[in-house]
Amino acid sequence: MKVLVPVKRVVDFNVKVRVKSDGTGVDIANVKMSMNPFDEIAVEEAMRLKEAGKATEVVAVSCGVTQCQETLRTAMAIGADRGILVETDADLQPLAVAKLLKALADKEQPQLIVLGKQAIDDDCNQTGQMLAALLDWPQATFASKVVIEGDKVNVTREVDGGLETVSLTLPAIVTTDLRLNEPRYVTLPNIMKAKKKQLDVVKPADLGVDVTPRLKTLKVMEPPKRSAGIKVPDVATLVAKLRNEAKVI
């Protein structure tokens, strides 16, 4: 079974992002970039499936600028067998990424696609669902447990009311949640081995996909700073302030 794992290059989760002075977006100049944490969980899950003998090949895919090769090398250091970069300088939106992944899926013919439920930069939580619609494959989102049984994949997913288990017929799409696993640390020998693994570079035009943005960002701004709290002497004063000043009651 071949597993396809899309990974995204994002600003590292430890970095405090800054908005550009002109409000056109987030400043990523000289900022540490890394693999999206949810995608790292997806790569780890794919590797566990391979180590369990359920998967035969794990292919990491990324869409974006040339530097995304670093993210793919990280995925290959975790254990992915090879990588594919769809190289473009365009501002990729979820639908464009889903179309690129569909074109690659048609070409690679994987039986399972595992990707993070969302990216920590735009928090869209759309790509997996859009890809499932384009491929007309069954999907299970927010997975906290994945079990392969024959031509079925049983996924325990997190919902508002607790946990829900669904059974999908392969080929299928799974999006990962935080509690699915804890990604392994990448060792130096594996980093060196990853440099020798196959990494193919293609363009969106090679896949016949138009990645022109459909949405326009009008303005990006930082959230307002929280004002300091105050202490009140009694409940009556608290109620008065909630009613007259905050106007919430």
Side-chain angles (χ1 to χ4, degrees):
M1 181 177 72
K2 182 187 291 188
V3 181
L4 198 69
V5 187
V7 296
K8 186 176 183 181
R9 178 177 180 262
V10 299
V11 175
D12 190 87
F13 69 93
N14 289 310
V15 174
K16 179 176 173 55
V17 296
R18 301 186 304 274
V19 175
K20 293 180 180 178
S21 57
D22 58 2
T24 57
V26 173
D27 186 7
I28 60 173
N30 301 316
V31 172
K32 181 184 178 183
M33 307 292 282
S34 61
M35 186 189 301
N36 179 45
F38 290 105
D39 296 340
E40 197 172 356
I41 292 170
V43 177
E44 173 66 25
E45 190 63 23
M47 291 315 305
R48 293 188 183 191
L49 290 174
K50 185 178 179 183
E51 289 165 355
K54 301 295 184 180
T56 54
E57 184 182 23
V58 176
V59 183
V61 178
S62 191
C63 305
V65 295
T66 306
Q67 291 87 336
C68 290
Q69 291 188 28
E70 301 169 10
T71 308
L72 287 170
R73 293 294 179 193
T74 301
M76 289 188 279
I78 295 174
D81 297 291
R82 57 188 174 92
I84 302 173
L85 171 62
V86 183
E87 189 177 40
T88 175
D89 293 326
D91 179 22
L92 292 175
Q93 294 173 350
L95 181 58
V97 175
K99 288 180 177 179
L100 291 171
L101 294 177
K102 178 192 181 297
L104 285 173
D106 290 339
K107 180 180 177 182
E108 293 287 333
Q109 294 294 306
Q111 283 71 54
L112 182 65
I113 300 178
V114 186
L115 65 162
K117 69 171 185 175
Q118 65 193 72
I120 61 171
D121 51 2
D122 55 20
D123 275 333
C124 282
N125 182 20
Q126 295 175 343
T127 305
Q129 293 88 327
M130 288 178 170
L131 178 58
L134 291 172
L135 286 169
D136 195 23
W137 286 9
Q139 61 174 312
T141 54
F142 315 125
S144 60
K145 184 178 180 181
V146 177
V147 179
I148 303 288
E149 293 182 352
D151 64 343
K152 302 279 187 181
V153 53
N154 296 325
V155 179
T156 302
R157 54 189 304 269
E158 300 187 357
V159 295
D160 291 341
L163 298 176
E164 175 186 74
T165 302
V166 295
S167 179
L168 312 178
T169 302
L170 296 173
I173 291 175
V174 175
T175 72
T176 63
D177 213 332
L178 283 174
R179 279 158 289 280
L180 179 58
N181 61 52
E182 185 174 340
R184 68 194 69 185
Y185 288 103
V186 180
T187 62
L188 182 59
N190 286 338
I191 292 174
M192 301 307 292
K193 290 177 184 176
K195 293 181 179 180
K196 298 180 180 179
K197 290 184 178 180
Q198 178 183 346
L199 198 162
D200 300 320
V201 179
V202 298
K203 301 287 186 182
D206 300 334
L207 301 173
V209 177
D210 178 14
V211 295
T212 304
R214 304 294 185 92
L215 306 175
K216 180 180 179 182
T217 302
L218 301 180
K219 188 176 182 181
V220 177
M221 65 187 80
E222 292 188 12
K225 294 183 179 179
R226 295 180 62 180
S227 57
I230 60 171
K231 291 184 178 180
V232 294
D234 50 44
V235 174
T237 307
L238 172 62
V239 173
K241 286 186 175 293
L242 290 174
R243 178 178 291 123
N244 301 324
E245 295 181 18
K247 300 187 185 301
V248 294
I249 60 174

